Amino acid sequence: MTIKGVLFDFSGTLFRIESSESWLRAVLDEAGMTLSEPELLAKAAALEAAGALAGGSFPQHVPDHLAEAWATRDRTGELHRAAYTGLSRQVPLPDPALHDALYDRHMTPAAWAPYPDAEEVLEALQARGIALGVVSNIGWDLRPIFREHGLDPYVGAYVLSYEHGIQKPDPRLFATACDALGVTPQETLMVGDDRRADGGAAALGCAVHFVEHLPAAERPDGLRPVLDLVG
């Protein structure tokens, strides 16, 4: 069947979060605090290992007291903040308030950059009359990120887990997106980087295509194969 709609994941698919070093450096600068360069790099590496940066690496270990919040983190904004600030607090910082500041930073457009081929691919799909949507496991509103980076005009529907209380791979989230775009699952391609979460679309009957979750500089054209899949 002809593909009439394409759903995209957000983090690791269309956009990439900044490095943990850039993240920490920006928050320290905003707070007017300084660390020695070796200490800053060590703290950034520890935050990365803790999985404290949403969109970055997964935690090497989730403490028992955070296990439930982590498992359900994308169902509400409160759980999302609790999970990520809880992971961050495993790493001592000069001021405890920095943990919430780090969380706040990751929700800003400055913390994200589109993959190099994202706009080109979205524009080409839209020009072919393909309906486009974003389906994301997330605890906050990502629409300002798309607006700031000029990608919002291509997106016909945003289906965000925290707004529905449902996380991928639950097929209901993908069904909601298909309904919003006016396409059937059998006419839809889901593009994402997480084989478990994004692969849930297959249970609904969607075709699925995976991209690699890599830094933007290492994945300059990872989205372009989607154009061939749509035809």
Side-chain angles (χ1 to χ4, degrees), residues 137-158:
N137 276 354
I138 198 165
W140 48 273
D141 186 5
L142 52 71
R143 294 172 183 86
I145 309 295
F146 280 76
R147 288 196 292 268
E148 181 69 21
H149 290 282
L151 300 189
D152 179 65
Y154 304 110
V155 181
Y158 294 93

Side-chain angles (χ1 to χ4, degrees), residues 82-101:
Y84 282 103
T85 56
L87 292 171
S88 175
R89 288 189 177 95
Q90 296 180 93
V91 181
L93 295 174
D95 183 342
L98 290 171
H99 297 289
D100 276 306

